[in-house]
Amino acid sequence: MALAHAAAHAAPHEDHPTTTGLNSRKLLFWAFLGSECMFFGSLIATYLVYRGRDQTGPHPHEIFAIPFTSFSAFVLLMSSLTMVLALAAIQRGNQKRGAIWLAATALLGMTFVGGQCYEFTEFFYKGLSLQTNLFGCTFFVLTGFHGTHVTVGVIWLWTLFTLAVRGKIPSEKSLDVEIAGLYWHFVDVVWIAIFTLVYLIQ
Amino acid sequence: MTVRKLDSTLVLRLIAGLLIAGALALCGCALKDYPQSTLHPHSDYAESIQRLLETLVFWVVVIFVLVEGVLIWTVVRFRSRPGAPEPKPVHGNTTLEVAWTIAPALILAFVAVPTVLTIFKTQGRPPDGAMPVRVVGHQWWWEFQYPEYNITTASELHVPVGRPVAVSLETADVIHSFWFPAVGGKRDVVPSRVNHMWFTAGSLGEFPGQCAELCGISHANMRAKLIVSKPEDFQAWVAAQQSPPVEPDSTSLAGKGKQVFLEVGCVACHTIQGISPGIIGPNLTHFGSRGSIAGATYLNNDDNLGKWLANPQARKPGATMLNLGLNPDQIAALVAYLQSLK
Amino acid sequence: MATTTAPITAAAHAPAESVGSLWGWITTVDHKRIGALYGVTAFIFFLIGGLEATLMRIQLARPENTFVSPDVFNQLFTMHGTTMIFLAIMPLSASFFNFLIPLMIGARDVAFPRLNAFSYWVFLCGAVFLNLSFFLGGAPDTGWFGYSNLTSSQYSPGHGVDFWAVGLQILGIASLAAGFNFIITIVNMRAPGMKLMRMPVFVWMTLVTSFLIIFAFPVITVALVFLLFDRFTGTNFFAPAMGADPVLWQHLFWLFGHPEVYILILPAMGIVSEVLPTFSRKPLFGYPVVVYSGIFIGFMGWGVWSHHMFSVGLGPIADSFFALTTMLIAIPTGVKIFNWIGTMWGGRLELKTAMLFAIGFISMFIMGGLSGFMHASPPADLQQTDTYFVVAHIHYVLFGGSMLGIFSGLYYWFPKMTGRLMNEGLGKLHFWLTIISMNVTFFPMHFVGLLGMPRRVYTYAPHMGFDTMNLISTVGVFGIAISLLVFIWNFLSSTRSGAVAGPNPWGGATLEWAIASPPPAHNFGTIPTVHGLDPLWAKDGADIARTASLVRGHIHMPPNSVWPAVSALGMSMLLSGMVFGWWVGIPGLVFMLVGFYSWAFEPCH
């Protein structure tokens, strides 16, 4: 997260030839995403293994508000679209437009996180906390880590927005935005997995 | 259950048996020297494992001798000597690669088949008429219940020779592992799970066992004894365990001991049938009949028992049993009482 | 090309800071210096782990001994295992990766030099943090594998387990960062002409190991997250009372744990694959097969984890499945051994110390592999698991395997690192003392285990027949200690006054031998072009050796940076705040953020 941020902003002497022809920072980021897959995979697997084992409630079907969460998921999905538009703009050299789309992505991300906070507060008032039962701990730790990842992404995006507004991301530096885009899309894909496995398939 | 081939399997077993026996003979092993040995099977379960082990050891020795032999030969033969020729830069040999991939695979097949067969045989359902025993692991002692006979005891597992015993395995706290090497492999006791194993003891005698999964500070002191007796002796033991506890003469030291027992708090943790209901510690109804105390870590005699009562943690670090601050008179009385509970 | 006589210090193109200074070491991003840092630190922790082992063996020399209390003993075996695995073998391997990978692939440094430095400093912080536990209420005492629910707050009150869990999280980050770095380095920074199947086997093994690291560590990270949540916030991940299954911990742990043992052995296998050809005067036999075996082991290592859980009661189908996969993985392992022997066969063997250790590796690893083969059969394993038979197996593969391989590498590449040769006489003494002592120590454990002695016991009863074998093992440990003293003496005195080595004292075939010993900061003056395996043994090998050191034009090396160390310290302080409190955690967060941002926006020149 912050590490990847550092990698993405490393000084631009990456122009020496590489064996594969691919940029090293980009490859690093793909490797990082691979390991993040194992991280989220373990969290999701634990949720699935423990599903249905609770003797005491609340249980998922009593708590989930699928319409609201669907809207949240849609928001995050749209943010991936705006991310793609942001990268396209930066690659074309249009930093102003890029900044707008970056801000849009960040705002949509913040909306998502806000929705999560609202959702979790509702769950809490319905009696579901970290300590309540297996559903509580597996759900909140899984979605909590995901939300944290989104939050880190949002900070990253606002940083890029600031740089773009100041004209510091010409098209030669579009890799910085591309890597942020990879992160953002990954976070979105993880949410699709969580939404499907945790919310939709009960 | 499996039909024994009278040719290659037997030869293999003979060779393996010779190898193991040879090795054992070299160190002069006998069960009495190594009472907790895994290499002296005394049950059908342990026998099945032993047969598998013989197959494994056979191949291990063969591979060891062959490969280490070739290694040593190579080092000796191809050492640099004055006038030694320049080596040919050989890069590989496909035939050799195929051969030495297939050969280990074949050996593995010879081992895999008996392995899977033994797994299913030894993890199968116990035979009908098996005696059920419910085992509960505690930090740091073993509890044994006999549902058929309504007996609860601790640390010493009595079984009749020749009758299958179906053991169910649970724990009251953390993961432990139930293990009497003479009669079979170990099986963990896991919270919120019931494991099962069964065996038929084939020889009379006393066989030590030990917890085999780290379970805290006194893991090393969580021991037990398996006592295999003739069916009639076993039934006699059952009858004795089922009888109500010995009632001491109230004027005797043992009688005083019973008073102490009731007054100082033992009742909170220990059961003596009809007298005290506690279930945290071992059942003491027939404590006096046991050969060992404190999770089979000490012989059951007055001296050891007295030391235990005086300061359990000194005898078994971390012991859950409270140090009740007993004075020597109370201890002497309690010892007399407990030993009277035959 | 003249070689410098001083060890890894001044080089013609070094940055402005005085390279021998403390600040120079703290801010270094040079892979060779980072390798030295890893090596020295790891070796010190290896000695600490050895001390822990010695104390245990003294306690076990006699039945019912009272040399250490059970409480201390449980801490000793927990810390011995954790230290040897995470603070000794892994970072010793990392020291080799660091020093050698750029040299072997013809690069000037790793892909991300500051990330490399960051890995080291995080490792150091994690190692120190973990060991602070001894002084702050007691080290962890629940085994290096920390099974729940023994590790719950209920059964392990106190901070020991917290130190263990947080410490491993910190160390995990160090390993992950290094894993990413080496994957990209190997994939993307090879010299022209060095196709994948022309890379030295050590490079291949590093690549496979790095993939194992980046995929395995997240799993233990999650397991530790669950444990820390349970202990600090009262969640129920491993609380049986709420329906949780403590066996979940075991699955997560061993999903990491089994790839971890391949992480521990593959580098040593890589080292041995380099040493054997050089001292056999012929190329590695079956190079593609050795490479593919390593890759196969890397993949298959994910399918065997429950062979550590045969006693749990997973059922006959699971037991059979894992038995079969475990047996299967013996095949590529055996194939490698046969190819190593094939390398020596028909060769002209120079039995220098490095070669002796490599041969010792093969011999001891065969033994460890065979006891592993015996474990692969669940019914037999049920008599072996959790006994000293496993302890024997572990130490034959990890000491007889990994450590002997590492010693082989140390003797082999010492001249490259320092420009000097180690003393062969002392080296051979070290070798024979080691191999004899380790067998005296660990061979009896096979027997005492099969004769019924469980593991992780601070004492045992007399009249069980365990006495003599335990005493013999204890005596052996002192032999190992003496052998290490010989090694340390040799290492230190050779660094100072060993014979000058020159670029290629052993006649090696790989690129690191083309340049000066020790190499200049920029490694290669001219990046060579390779046309096959074993470049220095090829027809144009002499040309490569001649031109590799010629500097043509300006070489830009990355400047030193303090931000990796600052970030590492900050992040470690932040995580250790879980144990120490906000007064450490908050400053840590500040340092970390300052460190990362400064790193990110640091100018390049």
Side-chain angles (χ1 to χ4, degrees), chain A residues 19 22-32, chain C residues 105 110-112 178-190 207 210:
Chain A
T19 309
L22 296 167
N23 180 281
S24 285
R25 277 164 36 214
K26 206 191 308 194
L27 274 181
L28 176 75
F29 209 75
W30 276 108
F32 172 69
Chain C
I105 63 174
V110 296
F112 301 100
F180 295 133
N181 216 345
F182 284 104
I183 291 175
I184 307 309
T185 304
I186 293 171
V187 165
N188 235 9
M189 292 185 68
R190 285 170 277 141
L207 183 63
S210 301

Side-chain angles (χ1 to χ4, degrees), chain B:
Chain B
M1 191 184 108
T2 46
V3 174
R4 299 237 300 254
K5 293 200 184 79
L6 284 176
D7 43 352
S8 55
T9 322
L10 191 56
V11 170
L12 233 85
R13 283 198 59 212
L14 273 171
I15 297 177
L18 272 169
L19 283 167
I20 295 186
L24 292 180
L26 278 173
C27 48
C29 297
L31 183 65
K32 64 170 170 56
D33 295 328
Y34 302 100
Q36 210 160 277
S37 162
T38 69
L39 299 174
H40 297 80
H42 289 278
S43 80
D44 50 357
Y45 181 21
E47 276 287 349
S48 301
I49 294 177
Q50 183 83 339
R51 257 173 265 146
L52 196 51
L53 184 71
E54 285 165 7
T55 310
L56 286 166
V57 168
F58 173 77
W59 287 113
V60 160
V61 170
V62 163
I63 296 169
F64 177 81
V65 166
L66 228 100
V67 185
E68 295 277 9
V70 170
L71 177 65
I72 295 171
W73 166 247
T74 309
V75 173
V76 167
R77 166 73 180 81
F78 294 104
R79 282 180 76 155
S80 175
R81 267 175 282 267
E86 196 60 27
K88 282 203 283 263
V90 177
H91 289 267
N93 180 317
T94 314
T95 316
L96 216 48
E97 299 285 358
V98 170
W100 65 39
T101 306
I102 293 187
L106 281 175
I107 295 175
L108 291 173
F110 294 144
V111 164
V113 171
T115 292
V116 175
L117 291 174
T118 309
I119 292 173
F120 279 89
K121 174 163 155 223
T122 56
Q123 290 189 39
R125 295 174 47 90
D128 295 325
M131 177 178 79
V133 172
R134 181 172 177 239
V135 173
V136 182
H138 300 257
Q139 280 180 320
W140 290 276
W141 56 281
W142 290 101
E143 176 181 353
F144 303 121
Q145 299 175 9
Y146 296 75
E148 262 182 9
Y149 305 119
N150 216 0
I151 297 171
T152 302
T153 183
S155 301
E156 292 175 5
L157 179 62
H158 288 250
V159 300
V161 72
R163 183 176 172 200
V165 179
V167 180
S168 75
L169 297 154
E170 299 161 63
T171 175
D173 37 46
V174 297
I175 298 178
H176 304 273
S177 196
F178 176 81
W179 190 38
F180 287 108
V183 295
K186 57 185 68 74
R187 185 59 79 203
D188 291 356
V189 296
V190 181
S192 66
R193 228 183 238 247
V194 181
N195 274 339
H196 298 275
M197 63 173 277
W198 69 270
F199 63 91
T200 310
S203 328
L204 301 172
E206 288 193 7
F207 305 100
Q210 226 177 318
C211 173
E213 183 60 62
L214 177 67
C215 51
I217 188 172
S218 262
H219 163 60
N221 298 324
M222 186 169 165
R223 306 181 194 165
K225 241 200 265 278
L226 177 71
I227 298 165
V228 185
S229 22
K230 291 192 248 187
E232 54 272 23
D233 294 335
F234 175 74
Q235 287 306 325
W237 175 82
V238 167
Q241 295 290 311
Q242 286 175 324
S243 59
V246 170
E247 188 57 40
D249 182 341
S250 54
T251 57
S252 66
L253 189 58
K256 289 207 192 68
K258 183 180 169 189
Q259 274 310 112
V260 175
F261 185 89
L262 291 169
E263 282 163 6
V264 296
C266 313
V267 303
C269 297
H270 293 282
T271 298
I272 295 180
Q273 214 178 312
I275 292 168
S276 80
I279 54 167
I280 298 174
N283 184 309
L284 302 177
T285 310
H286 295 279
F287 174 84
S289 68
R290 294 189 204 147
S292 62
I293 66 167
T297 47
Y298 299 103
L299 286 175
N300 185 2
N301 54 45
D302 291 0
D303 185 43
N304 282 333
L305 185 55
K307 286 192 183 126
W308 170 258
L309 291 170
N311 188 349
Q313 283 72 33
R315 305 295 278 165
K316 188 170 192 173
T320 323
M321 169 145 158
L322 299 171
N323 185 334
L324 297 162
L326 303 168
N327 63 51
D329 291 326
Q330 289 172 306
I331 291 176
L334 269 174
V335 169
Y337 174 54
L338 291 169
Q339 298 291 32
S340 77
L341 296 171
K342 297 274 180 228

Side-chain angles (χ1 to χ4, degrees), chain C residues 502-513:
Chain C
N504 196 354
W506 312 124
T510 41
L511 288 178
E512 74 272 23
W513 302 110

Side-chain angles (χ1 to χ4, degrees), chain A residues 1 5 10 20 24 58 63 87 95 107 117 120 143 145 150-151 160 166 194 197:
Chain A
M1 290 92 18
H5 188 169
T20 58
S24 285
I63 293 278
L87 177 62
Q95 295 191 51
L107 286 167
C117 291
F120 294 173
T143 52
F145 268 108
V150 177
T151 307
L160 288 173
R166 292 208 236 134
I194 294 176
L197 293 169

Side-chain angles (χ1 to χ4, degrees), chain C residues 515-529:
Chain C
I515 53 180
S517 307
H522 58 266
N523 298 345
F524 298 90
T526 305
I527 307 282
T529 302

